[in-house]
Amino acid sequence: MMDHDVAIVTGGGGDIGRGVCRALSKAGTTVVTLDLDISHADGADRAIQCDVRDPAACAGAVEEVVRDFGRVDTLVNLAQAFVQKPLPELTDEDMRLVFDSGPMATLRMMQLCYRHLKRRGGGSIINFASAAGTQGGIPGLGAYAAAKEAIRGLSKHAAVEWGPDNIRTNVICPAATSDPNRFGFGKQVADRNPLRRIGDPEADIGGVVVFLAGPSSSYINGRTLHVDGGAGTFR
């Protein structure tokens, strides 16, 4: 990362989002988070209340960042609504919710930031997906998995289309939480992880975001990184 870089993080008020914001901030980046609920967005320099399903709200937020800070260097898309239902019970409304908040919002933010990244001579887009999609077989997460795989598809195409503009697009599939017991991970789940622990949002996930946003990863593009301690083994 470079001092004075500016990063936009959607969903920065969530558990992993706060860790990502803190890691970027400690690396010298000015961090602006967009979230529907900004009451917990304590890791960013600025928090903007924004429903990423609302095109006008997203456009206004990006305009505010560029107006006040003059640039965008990194875009991190974490925002995603969560629906857990068996496939036979999924409704059109459920699918619209996960897709509007996930891949549609991710694409929208990428489009809004594209010209600003290009104007700076390049930048980094880091989108978040999930092992629910890459690994599959998790009961009740069909809608969520579909949305996350759509994000990976968009990311791969952006890597190809925007690579000539020196804009790199990569994906992280994380396994982390600041409170294992709150999300039901606990010792039993951690013991099934080869590293015998659950990832930390700031140190483990945020650290990889900092790496992907910085010059050390300048030749990494179009890749999915499973930051999960080896819980899933993929090429």
Side-chain angles (χ1 to χ4, degrees), residues 103-117:
M104 289 299 296
T106 294
L107 175 61
R108 180 176 300 119
M109 291 300 300
M110 290 166 63
Q111 291 172 326
L112 288 168
C113 290
Y114 169 71
R115 65 185 179 93
H116 302 294
L117 294 168

Side-chain angles (χ1 to χ4, degrees), residues 53 80-87 89-102 130 132 138-148:
R53 296 172 297 175
Q80 172 74 67
F82 184 78
V83 171
Q84 185 170 8
K85 284 184 180 180
L87 290 176
E89 298 177 15
L90 286 172
T91 65
D92 288 357
E93 184 179 353
D94 293 330
M95 297 304 291
R96 278 193 292 270
L97 174 62
V98 294
F99 271 81
D100 285 350
S101 64
S130 172
I138 303 176
L141 296 187
Y144 183 75
K148 287 303 190 183

Side-chain angles (χ1 to χ4, degrees), residues 32-114:
V32 181
T33 187
L34 279 55
D35 206 303
L36 194 60
D37 179 6
I38 60 174
S39 62
H40 300 293
D42 56 6
D45 297 280
R46 179 180 297 183
I48 301 174
Q49 187 172 27
C50 176
D51 184 344
V52 294
R53 296 172 297 175
D54 182 345
C58 291
V62 173
E63 289 174 8
E64 179 179 334
V65 172
V66 175
R67 182 187 68 235
D68 292 350
F69 299 104
R71 58 195 287 174
V72 176
D73 301 277
T74 302
L75 170 65
V76 182
N77 283 302
L78 265 158
Q80 172 74 67
F82 184 78
V83 171
Q84 185 170 8
K85 284 184 180 180
L87 290 176
E89 298 177 15
L90 286 172
T91 65
D92 288 357
E93 184 179 353
D94 293 330
M95 297 304 291
R96 278 193 292 270
L97 174 62
V98 294
F99 271 81
D100 285 350
S101 64
M104 289 299 296
T106 294
L107 175 61
R108 180 176 300 119
M109 291 300 300
M110 290 166 63
Q111 291 172 326
L112 288 168
C113 290
Y114 169 71

Side-chain angles (χ1 to χ4, degrees), residues 140-160:
L141 296 187
Y144 183 75
K148 287 303 190 183
E149 285 296 271
I151 288 173
R152 289 211 309 139
L154 285 170
S155 301
K156 286 184 282 188
H157 280 272
V160 173

Side-chain angles (χ1 to χ4, degrees), residues 123-141:
S124 179
I125 297 171
I126 303 158
N127 296 328
F128 273 70
S130 172
T134 60
Q135 195 168 352
I138 303 176
L141 296 187

Side-chain angles (χ1 to χ4, degrees), residues 82-234:
F82 184 78
V83 171
Q84 185 170 8
K85 284 184 180 180
L87 290 176
E89 298 177 15
L90 286 172
T91 65
D92 288 357
E93 184 179 353
D94 293 330
M95 297 304 291
R96 278 193 292 270
L97 174 62
V98 294
F99 271 81
D100 285 350
S101 64
M104 289 299 296
T106 294
L107 175 61
R108 180 176 300 119
M109 291 300 300
M110 290 166 63
Q111 291 172 326
L112 288 168
C113 290
Y114 169 71
R115 65 185 179 93
H116 302 294
L117 294 168
K118 184 177 180 180
R119 179 170 60 87
R120 294 294 305 166
S124 179
I125 297 171
I126 303 158
N127 296 328
F128 273 70
S130 172
T134 60
Q135 195 168 352
I138 303 176
L141 296 187
Y144 183 75
K148 287 303 190 183
E149 285 296 271
I151 288 173
R152 289 211 309 139
L154 285 170
S155 301
K156 286 184 282 188
H157 280 272
V160 173
E161 290 189 20
W162 295 352
D165 298 316
N166 197 33
I167 298 171
R168 298 177 295 107
T169 307
N170 292 289
V171 177
I172 292 176
C173 292
T177 177
S178 60
D179 184 356
N181 293 322
R182 182 177 60 178
F183 290 99
F185 287 115
K187 185 176 185 299
Q188 184 178 6
V189 173
D191 284 348
R192 292 200 298 267
N193 187 301
L195 295 184
R196 298 299 187 267
R197 66 181 180 87
I198 299 298
D200 178 78
E202 180 180 339
D204 295 316
I205 309 305
V208 176
V209 170
V210 170
F211 167 69
L212 288 176
S216 296
S217 63
S218 63
Y219 204 51
I220 299 177
N221 186 35
R223 296 301 175 187
T224 295
L225 280 70
H226 295 269
V227 189
D228 61 4
T233 53
F234 306 91

